[in-house]
Amino acid sequence: MTKEVMQTNRAEDSDEDVEEEDEEQIEGWDDWQSEEEETTADCLCLFCSSIFGSAEVLFEHCRSEHSFDFRGIVRELGLDFYGSFKLINYVRYQVAEKKCWCCSLTFQFSGDLENHLHPASSFKKDGKYFWEDDIYLKPFMMDDPLLHSFGGDEDEEDDSGTADKEELMRELMNSEELPKFSNGNQNILNGDASTSDVYKETENIVAKKVQNLNSNFEGRTTNGIMLEACDQKKKDKQLRESFANVAAKEIKNVNEKYFGSYGSFGIHREMISDKARTDAYRGALLNNPCLINKATVLDVGCGTGILSLFAAQGGASKVISVEASEKMATVATQISRDNGLLSEGNMKDDEKHSGVISVVQCMIEELDKYIYIPQNSVDVLVSEWMGYCLLYESMLSSVIYARDRWLKPDGAILPDTATIFGAGFGRGGTSIPFWENVYGFDMSCIGKEVTEDASHVPIIDVIDSQEIITESTAIHSFDLATMTVDDMDFTASFELKLKKDPSADDVAATTSSCYGVVVWFDTSFTSRFCKEKPINLTTSPYSPRTHWSQTILTFQEPIAMTSSHTMISSTGAVGTEECPAVTIRSRISIVRSSAHRSIDISLEILGISSDGRKRSWPVQIFSL
C-alpha cells in the first residue's frame, strides 16, 4: 500500500499559511517516523529465513553466523549510502540464486550455501566492486525494511544525512509516480520512446522528488548546522542518472526480448495449434455476422494475422492488423497477400487483386504515426492478449489504450470479459511423488527442495483435475469494455472447502491435505456483442489443455482439511492432522511488477477449524 507523502511545495500566501504548512510537515514527518519504526520490526536475514526486530541485531547475526560483517565492510571500504544500499541488494540477489556472495560458487541447496559462507578475501572483480552495477539500486525485495534502517546510529549522528537518505528512499520507493512510470506509461514502456526519452522521463521524476526534499530541508538547522541543498547536488545528480540508466536499459531489454520471442515461428505454431484458443476466436468472428459483416476491425498484436484472416473471412469491410515485431508484420503481410486478402494500400504495383487487410508494423500506441484512423471509428477490436495467470506479459494495457482511442462508443471488444478462478490441490499436484521413486531410488530430498522453491516462484504446468481437492471458486472478474489500466492490479478474497465425495457416507469425514492453490482463467465472447453465438474460452484443468496451462501457487506447508464437523484435538494446531481445517480463507493480490511485463502475487492464508479456531500462515510472495 502506498504511503502518504508530505507535500512541500504549497503556495505561501500568508504568514498563517506558512505556519500551517510547517505544522503539517512536522506532523507528517512524525507520522512517517512511526511508520518507519513499524517497518523495521521484521528484517529478513540476508542468508537464511531468520527474522529480526532491528537492523543491528540482524547484522550481528550475519557477522557471527554467516561470516558477513556488513558494518566492517562499510567501514573498511568507506561505502557511502548508495554503496551500502547496493551491497545489501547484491547479497540478496546472489543468495536467491544460491551463490556465494564473495566467490560466486553456486550450490544446489540453500543449506549447503549457508554452510559454505566465509569471510571475503576480496571485494572486487576486474577492478570493480561486486555490487558496483547500478542494477543493484533496484531493491530485490519490494519495501525491504532493511533498506530503510541499515543506517543505524550513524544516521542519528548526522541528521542532515538522515534527511537525505531516509526521506529520499521513502519518496523513491513509495511514491505513486515511479510505479506509474514502471507500469502505466504507455509511451515509454511499450516502445513509443527512444532510450533517451526513457532516460529523460525517469530523470524528471527523480528530479522532482529531489527538488521537493531539498526545498523541505534547505535552510533548517540541526545541532546548529545549516542544511544546504547545494551540498547534495552531486549526489542527487548521481542518483537521477543511476535510476534513469537502470530503467532505460531494463525496459529496452524486456521489450526487445518480448517482441523478439514472437519472431519465432515455434511460438505461433503452439498458439495456432491450441484448438480451444483458435476455435474460440474463429467461432466468434465467423458465427456472428451481425457483428462482423461490413465492420471495421482492429486486430491488436496480430502475429501471423490469423484473427485478421478470420475477420476478413467473416465479412469485415476493413481490417487493420497491428504487429510490433518487424519479422511477424512482414510474415502477416505475405500471408494476407498469398490468400488474396491484402488491401490495396499494401499491394505492389503489378498486383491486380486486393482485399481488406492492412498490416502496420508498430506498437499500437504509435499507430497514429503510420496511418490515420479517425478517433472512435472502429466497430470491433479483437486481440489475443492473455498471458500466464491471465495477466503475465499480457498486452491488456495496449488493448485498453486502443479501445479508448479508436473503438466506437457502441463498438465491440473481443473477448469482452475475463475471470480468474482458483481451487486447492493435493499432494499429486506437486513433484514430491515423482522424486520419491526414480527407477526405484529415493530422491525425495530433491522433491523437498523443489517444493520449497515453488513456494516463492509460480509453476506454469498442467495439473490433473483428479488432484483438485476443493471446490472451484471465482476469484476476480474483468469487464474489458469498461475497465481501466489501474484495474489490472487487484486484491480479492475467496474460500476453499473440500469437494464433496458423492460415493462417501455423509456421516464419514473426509480428510485431505491441501498443498496450494491452482489458478486459471476464462475469457468470454458474451451475448453482449456476440448475440448470435456467444463463446467461452477456458483454461480450466477440467477442460482440454491449452498452451496457457495453469498457474500453481504452492503453500509453504500443506494444510490438512476435513469435509465435516468431526471430533478434533483441542490442543492441536489448526491445519494439522489432529485439527484439520474445514475452511481455508484466502486473500490474493495480483499487481504489475516494477519489472516490466511481470506480475507479483501475494497470498494470505487463514485456516478455520470446526470449533471456530483460526490459524494464519506467513504471507507468501510469488514473482512471475
Side-chain angles (χ1 to χ4, degrees), residues 96 108 146 152 198 246 286 358 495 541 614:
Q108 184 176 4
L146 188 58
V198 177
V246 171
L286 295 185
S358 299
E495 290 189 350
K614 299 177 181 179

Side-chain angles (χ1 to χ4, degrees), residues 160 164 210-220 226-237 240:
S160 172
D164 168 56
V210 173
Q211 182 179 4
N212 286 345
L213 293 174
N214 284 342
S215 63
N216 190 24
F217 293 105
E218 184 175 10
R220 296 190 181 187
M226 181 71 73
L227 301 180
E228 297 290 346
C230 60
D231 293 338
Q232 301 298 325
K233 285 184 178 178
K234 184 176 181 180
K235 188 178 291 184
D236 296 341
K237 181 179 179 182
R240 292 197 300 270

